[in-house]
Amino acid sequence: MVEMAIAMSLLFMLTLGFVDFGYAFFQWNAATKAVQVGARLASVSDPVATALTNAAPTTTPGAPVIAGAYGPFACTYSGGTGSCSNSGNFNATAFSRIFRGDTANTANDACPALTANQRPGMCHFFPGLKRNNVVVTYVATGLGYQTRLGGPVPTITVSLQNMTYQFFFLGAFGFGSMTMPSMLSTVTGEDLKSTSP
C-alpha cells in the first residue's frame, strides 16, 4: 500500500503536469493566432496612432518615404488609458476594432459575442486577453511616397507583452508566473480605413 501510494502520487502529478502543459501549448497557439488576426485588422483599419496620417515628410511630392522618416509609433493601454509614443495621439475606437473586431466598442476588457457577418478580433481567438497586453507599432520602412493621398504606408507589428501562462495544477508548484515567450506578427499597411476592405 505504501508503494502504491507513492507511485499513484507521482503518476497523478505527472498526469496533471501533462494536462497543464497541453493547456499551455493551446494558450501559445491561441496567442499566436490572436496577433496574426490583430495585425491583419490593423493593416485595414484606421491607425491607432492618429499622428501617423500626417507623419511622412511632404517636402518632395512623389519622392519615396525613406525608412525611419517617421515614428515608430508604439501604442499600448496602461491602467485603462491608451497612449502612443512619439506624440501619436491614441485612437481608442481603432484600437478597439483590432482588439474586439466588429463588435461593440466598450471601455473595458470585455469581448462581446459575435453576431452574423462580424469579423472577430484578437480577444475572440485568445480568451482572457487584456487590452494592456496588446502593443500596436507603426514603423516607416521605406514604403510609399510623399504626399500619397492615402497617407504613408507603414509596416505594422502587433505583439503581446506581460503574458503569463495560466496553469490549473502546476501553479501550486511554483509555475504560476511562467512568462509566455514574446510573439508578434508584422504586416505591410494597406489603405488604412475604418470601413470593411
Side-chain angles (χ1 to χ4, degrees):
M1 288 181 67
V2 173
E3 291 176 354
M4 182 62 121
I6 293 171
M8 288 303 291
S9 298
L10 291 174
L11 285 173
F12 188 64
M13 287 175 54
L14 189 62
T15 302
L16 294 179
F18 281 138
V19 169
D20 261 357
F21 276 112
Y23 184 54
F25 187 64
F26 165 79
Q27 292 174 68
W28 185 82
N29 279 329
T32 301
K33 185 62 178 177
V35 294
Q36 291 171 353
V37 168
R40 175 62 187 147
L41 284 172
S43 73
V44 295
S45 303
D46 288 335
V48 178
T50 58
L52 175 67
T53 307
N54 299 314
T58 58
T59 53
T60 312
V65 175
I66 61 171
Y70 58 84
F73 299 105
C75 303
T76 59
Y77 257 95
S78 179
T81 304
S83 63
C84 297
S85 61
N86 286 325
S87 302
N89 294 331
F90 189 87
N91 182 335
T93 302
F95 187 91
S96 181
R97 185 155 190 260
I98 295 167
F99 185 75
R100 295 184 182 86
D102 292 335
T103 60
N105 179 12
T106 59
N108 54 34
D109 290 321
C111 191
L114 292 169
T115 59
N117 300 321
Q118 286 186 323
R119 283 184 292 189
M122 295 178 71
C123 66
H124 294 102
F125 288 91
F126 190 11
L129 183 66
K130 308 265 188 259
R131 294 177 301 171
N132 293 351
N133 301 128
V134 179
V135 180
V136 182
T137 307
Y138 300 89
V139 179
T141 53
L143 301 171
Y145 54 89
Q146 294 186 31
T147 66
R148 179 176 177 270
L149 190 60
V153 181
T155 294
I156 304 166
T157 300
V158 175
S159 58
L160 299 181
Q161 65 179 0
N162 306 323
M163 295 293 302
T164 57
Y165 288 110
Q166 304 300 313
F167 291 118
F168 291 118
F169 309 108
L170 294 178
F173 299 101
F175 291 96
S177 60
M178 189 177 206
T179 304
M180 195 176 284
S182 175
M183 58 192 64
L184 55 86
S185 184
T186 301
V187 296
T188 301
E190 298 177 19
D191 284 325
L192 305 181
K193 56 190 174 182
S194 59
T195 56
S196 299

